[in-house]
Amino acid sequence: MFLINCPFCGERDQSEFSSGGEAHIVRPKQPTELSDDEWAEYLFMRKNIKGIQFERWNHVHGCRKWFNVVRDTSNDKILSVYKMGEKPPVNYK
Amino acid sequence: MKNKYSVFSLIKNALSQHENWQQAWGNPEPKKEYDAIIVGGGGHGLATAYYLAKKHNLKNIAVLEKGWIGGGNTGRNTTIIRSNYLWDASAGLYDHALKLWENLSQELNYNVMFSQRGVMNLAHNLQDVRDLKRRTHANRLNGIDAVWLNTEQVKKFCPIINTSPDIRYPVLGGTLQRRAGTARHDAVAWGYARGASDMGVDIIQNCEVKGIKRNGDKVEGLETTKGFIKTNKIGVVAAGHSSVIANMAGLKLPLESKPLQALVSEPVKPIIDTVVMSNAVHAYVSQSDKGELVIGAGTDSYVSYTQRGSHNIVEETLKAILELYPIFSRMKMLRQWGGIVDICPDASPIISKTNIKGLYFNCGWGTGGFKATPGSGDLFAHTIANDEPHKLNAAFNLNRFVSGDLVDEHGAAAVAH
């Protein structure tokens, strides 16, 4: 349980948000060309990182907008919040 | 068995004030090399080592545990055991485990307190009724005992349930598996540890894996906090930390790790003599032999390794518990905790080889791995020893996420296992 600083609404309780999982998984440009392995990689395989993870959140009980978050999954500390389409901050790897 | 537990050993040790009981398992330093190493000293890992030694005649085995044995999810679950899964593959897997549970105390010469008190799953809407009835039929076709109970029969089986039609999610019936029940979770880890240790398995605690050494497409050993250990067979049974170990080998798994919570109340006199689960309102409850109510809550919706979980999840579960059991309204909760569970997209486990030779994974048990402990260990041992899955775990391979042949138990198992 933690607070998330929604870039549109400000700081709100985590229970107002829905987690969209790992961020920056690019939707395949030509789905018909994809092999089964590539589909599996896109649909199912996840880094599931213990540590600094880039992820998507949706303020589902608020503005209903999507945005990105950098969070340390070992202690739930949020390190950065940035909007969809923006480049991820480079100081976290 | 070096020191067989019996009524005679109890009397003998009572005469010496119980001061001469020997340690149940050894505490060795790691050797330089093993024939197989199991990463993770929970119930599943210890069971794997036990069956590798017992059935596959591998004696030079180590189990590496970063904390103490059974200190992870083995000691954090709500101890429910059942096998009433929908699909044939799951029914085969979980009922294999249930059959092993039925004889486990004798097998291990260790009382795992397996209690077949029955597990009842409640239906709260018409779709639940249809799904659960379908599941009882599927179970019976697979030789698994299952009966459908209407609301009156539910009330008769567990009189403290509020079956009033006026509650928010009224009880419209339920299914009952009488062979299902609970067991003492710590005893399972301890019993397997003792049995494995007795056959020469090295159980090495406080030894964390830091890296996997690979030579091309095969494994050569493990970097650990106690130095490098050579082996060409590694079985990873690391539950919530499976992805962390997989990443060390440059492998990605279809898993997300999330906190799952449980809580227990103050101990009271016997009030509920079965296990009642409700997937729709997400509440399940049983009573331990000490008298505590054991309550399982849900997972958080986001990836986290914090082993605590959010307060709102507990609150939602307790709301549902109170509506179903008004008699518990003044109970005080004593302890609450979280464990990290690794969830697969199809809510079924992975017991599988990987494309790296000598690297095997037993993971993805999500919120319901405890019930499968003996079966999981038996089948994983078979997979490691033969480099081939047993027919009962063939469907639970890693390749199903490529082929699309998923074992979708979300419908049958929902969130509560």
Side-chain angles (χ1 to χ4, degrees), chain B residues 139-391:
Chain B
N139 290 158
R140 290 164 83 149
L141 286 171
N142 277 317
I144 293 168
D145 67 308
V147 284
W148 169 257
L149 306 179
N150 62 27
T151 308
E152 290 73 44
Q153 289 165 317
V154 166
K155 182 83 181 167
K156 198 166 170 229
F157 186 68
C158 184
I160 59 169
I161 293 183
N162 180 6
T163 52
S164 157
D166 299 330
I167 64 175
R168 175 66 184 83
Y169 297 102
V171 177
L172 301 184
T175 65
L176 174 63
Q177 183 181 20
R178 289 185 195 275
R179 282 164 65 232
T182 59
R184 173 79 201 277
H185 48 193
D186 302 309
V188 179
W190 299 336
Y192 273 122
R194 174 170 170 262
S197 182
D198 225 34
M199 288 185 285
V201 173
D202 281 356
I203 295 164
I204 300 156
Q205 302 182 70
N206 299 309
C207 179
E208 186 176 351
V209 170
K210 291 292 191 184
I212 294 177
K213 192 175 173 210
R214 274 175 66 175
N215 180 5
D217 66 345
K218 63 176 202 280
V219 294
E220 287 198 323
L222 287 165
E223 296 291 349
T224 75
T225 49
K226 295 196 174 187
F228 179 74
I229 310 174
K230 208 175 151 195
T231 186
N232 51 24
K233 275 180 190 274
I234 301 170
V236 182
V237 206
H241 282 69
S242 298
S243 297
V244 176
I245 307 277
N247 292 343
M248 290 175 189
L251 202 70
K252 264 207 261 179
L253 294 172
L255 298 174
E256 285 196 311
S257 295
K258 296 174 177 178
L260 175 68
Q261 293 177 82
L263 52 164
V264 294
S265 73
E266 59 189 331
V268 289
K269 286 184 177 176
I271 182 75
I272 178 164
D273 63 356
T274 184
V275 183
V276 184
M277 307 178 69
S278 166
N279 290 344
V281 298
H282 207 286
Y284 50 103
V285 64
S286 63
Q287 192 172 15
S288 75
D289 291 353
K290 283 186 283 184
E292 303 154 323
L293 295 180
V294 183
I295 294 170
T299 56
D300 281 308
S301 64
Y302 49 86
V303 170
S304 178
Y305 288 84
T306 53
Q307 287 194 329
R308 36 173 203 259
S310 303
H311 187 70
N312 57 315
I313 303 282
V314 172
E315 200 175 4
E316 278 157 29
T317 291
L318 288 178
K319 276 185 205 162
I321 293 277
L322 286 190
E323 181 151 276
L324 279 175
Y325 311 92
I327 192 174
F328 295 155
S329 65
R330 279 166 293 161
M331 293 281 283
K332 290 181 178 69
M333 293 299 143
L334 276 194
R335 298 190 305 279
Q336 169 274 346
W337 63 92
I340 304 302
V341 297
D342 45 328
I343 300 173
C344 259
D346 60 354
S348 286
I350 296 165
I351 312 172
S352 178
K353 297 161 65 163
T354 62
N355 53 19
I356 300 166
K357 201 168 161 18
L359 184 63
Y360 306 86
F361 270 87
N362 183 352
C363 58
W365 290 95
T367 58
F370 176 73
K371 67 172 81 66
T373 305
S376 155
D378 183 30
L379 299 172
F380 195 42
H382 181 102
T383 307
I384 293 173
N386 299 299
D387 197 37
E388 279 296 324
H390 187 277
K391 68 177 187 333

Side-chain angles (χ1 to χ4, degrees), chain A residues 1-2 12-18 60-61, chain B residues 312:
Chain A
M1 199 166 203
F2 43 85
R12 300 293 175 87
D13 194 287
Q14 176 269 317
S15 60
E16 287 188 19
F17 298 83
S18 133
V60 68
H61 298 299
Chain B
N312 57 315

Side-chain angles (χ1 to χ4, degrees), chain A residues 1-2 13-15 17-22 36-41 43-51 53 55 57 71-77, chain B residues 66 240-241 243-244 247 252-259 300-306 308-312 342 345 398-404 406:
Chain A
M1 199 166 203
F2 43 85
D13 194 287
Q14 176 269 317
S15 60
F17 298 83
S18 133
S19 168
E22 192 179 321
D36 289 351
D37 281 311
E38 288 166 326
W39 268 122
E41 182 72 21
L43 282 175
F44 298 126
M45 300 304 166
R46 295 292 177 264
K47 288 184 199 147
N48 195 22
I49 289 169
K50 181 180 188 180
Q53 167 159 290
E55 54 193 18
W57 284 83
R71 184 172 57 97
D72 187 337
T73 60
S74 66
N75 57 19
D76 287 347
K77 273 199 185 118
Chain B
K66 76 170 169 182
H241 282 69
S243 297
V244 176
N247 292 343
K252 264 207 261 179
L253 294 172
L255 298 174
E256 285 196 311
S257 295
K258 296 174 177 178
D300 281 308
S301 64
Y302 49 86
V303 170
S304 178
Y305 288 84
T306 53
R308 36 173 203 259
S310 303
H311 187 70
N312 57 315
D342 45 328
L398 198 46
N399 197 50
R400 73 178 189 266
F401 298 95
V402 175
S403 70
L406 303 179

